[in-house]
């Protein structure tokens, strides 16, 4: 539970930064703050906070690099446990198409990119993972986009109410690919 409280605190800081520059991206919540335990933050609340934070950046997150990296991230999260079934693909697609920020892009572009990665991960996970990480790396040039890709991954991973070790591991690898510290996201 402490992990989600720290992520919630960080999301609030990032939201403040986006709205007026008052927060920091690596301060308080990212380094040892254990104050969050009594805040009662649940996983659903965390996902809501991150969705709101991402929504506040919607106008900045319109590049093809963000789109491609986010779809690769979603596919990696879906396949993190080593397999993806049809119901999971349908649920993930619904989450993607319902995401406020991803509505910046035509739904067919999102579906095509997501399914491309899922197919590659299903056929040959190591090779598919390498190709997905290459698409994720496209967002590394812009720190706002890079962080948004990780936040999108966290939102998608937490949408089912379960944030598995495999999903956390995939998110840590994506952080490394983007030149971000996993600790910034308490991963």
């Amino acid at each position: 539970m402490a992990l989600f409280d720290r992520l919630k605190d960080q999301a609030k800081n990032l939201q403040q930064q986006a709205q007026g520059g008052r927060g920091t991206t690596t301060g308080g919540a990212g380094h040892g703050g254990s104050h969050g335990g009594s805040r009662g933050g649940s996983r659903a609340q965390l996902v809501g906070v991150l969705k709101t934070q991402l929504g506040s950046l919607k106008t900045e997150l319109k590049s093809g690099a963000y789109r491609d990296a986010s779809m690769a991230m979603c596919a990696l999260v879906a396949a993190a446990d080593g397999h993806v079934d049809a119901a999971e693909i349908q649920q993930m697609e619904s989450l993607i198409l319902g995401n406020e920020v991803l509505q910046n892009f035509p739904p067919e572009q999102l579906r095509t990119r997501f399914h491309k990665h899922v197919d590659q991960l299903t056929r040959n996970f190591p090779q598919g993972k390498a190709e997905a990480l290459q698409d994720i790396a496209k967002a590394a040039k812009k720190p706002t986009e890079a962080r948004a890709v990780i936040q999108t991954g966290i939102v998608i991973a937490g949408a089912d109410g379960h944030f598995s070790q495999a999903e956390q591991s995939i998110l840590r690898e994506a952080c490394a690919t983007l030149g971000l510290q996993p600790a910034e996201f308490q991963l």
Side-chain angles (χ1 to χ4, degrees), residues 11-23 49 52-57 60:
K12 286 180 183 177
N13 285 341
L14 290 171
Q15 173 121 15
Q16 289 172 348
Q17 178 188 25
Q19 291 177 345
R22 294 180 307 250
V49 168
T52 300
Q53 193 276 325
L54 284 168
S56 71
L57 297 172
E60 297 177 47

Side-chain angles (χ1 to χ4, degrees), residues 63-73 105 109 113 117 132 135-136 138:
S63 76
Y66 171 73
R67 176 202 58 214
D68 294 352
S70 293
M71 291 305 91
M73 185 80 259
F105 308 102
Q109 286 182 6
R113 283 162 176 80
H117 284 293
D135 269 1
I136 288 170
K138 292 179 181 181

Side-chain angles (χ1 to χ4, degrees), residues 112-133:
T112 299
R113 283 162 176 80
F114 173 69
H115 285 282
K116 175 191 93 165
H117 284 293
V118 168
D119 291 345
Q120 290 171 333
L121 288 160
T122 302
R123 274 194 311 272
N124 181 336
F125 187 81
Q127 182 180 348
K129 181 175 155 185
E131 291 178 23
L133 289 172

Side-chain angles (χ1 to χ4, degrees), residues 1-186:
M1 190 63 151
L3 166 69
F4 290 100
D5 289 334
R6 289 190 303 261
L7 283 170
K8 182 177 163 186
D9 288 344
Q10 183 198 10
K12 286 180 183 177
N13 285 341
L14 290 171
Q15 173 121 15
Q16 289 172 348
Q17 178 188 25
Q19 291 177 345
R22 294 180 307 250
T24 64
T25 57
T26 59
H31 298 301
S34 61
H35 307 75
S38 63
R39 295 177 191 222
S42 70
R43 290 179 181 146
Q45 288 172 322
L46 170 67
V47 169
V49 168
L50 286 175
K51 281 182 182 178
T52 300
Q53 193 276 325
L54 284 168
S56 71
L57 297 172
K58 183 176 180 176
T59 58
E60 297 177 47
L61 300 173
K62 293 185 176 183
S63 76
Y66 171 73
R67 176 202 58 214
D68 294 352
S70 293
M71 291 305 91
M73 185 80 259
C74 289
L76 279 172
V77 166
D81 62 0
H83 73 283
V84 185
D85 60 34
E88 192 172 11
I89 290 171
Q90 184 66 33
Q91 179 186 17
M92 187 67 69
E93 191 173 301
S94 178
L95 289 169
I96 290 166
L97 297 178
N99 182 288
E100 179 183 358
V101 176
L102 294 174
Q103 289 175 0
N104 282 335
F105 308 102
E108 200 50 46
Q109 286 182 6
L110 299 175
R111 276 189 198 98
T112 299
R113 283 162 176 80
F114 173 69
H115 285 282
K116 175 191 93 165
H117 284 293
V118 168
D119 291 345
Q120 290 171 333
L121 288 160
T122 302
R123 274 194 311 272
N124 181 336
F125 187 81
Q127 182 180 348
K129 181 175 155 185
E131 291 178 23
L133 289 172
Q134 285 177 349
D135 269 1
I136 288 170
K138 292 179 181 181
K141 294 176 186 172
K142 296 182 180 177
T144 298
E145 288 184 4
R147 284 180 177 83
V149 167
I150 300 300
Q151 292 168 335
T152 299
I154 292 169
V155 166
I156 296 296
D160 64 358
H162 179 68
F163 196 43
S164 74
Q165 288 296 324
E167 290 167 337
Q168 290 181 48
S169 178
I170 287 290
L171 287 160
R172 282 191 293 273
E173 288 185 62
C175 283
T177 298
L178 292 167
L180 300 171
Q181 294 297 318
E184 179 179 339
F185 303 94
Q186 300 302 313

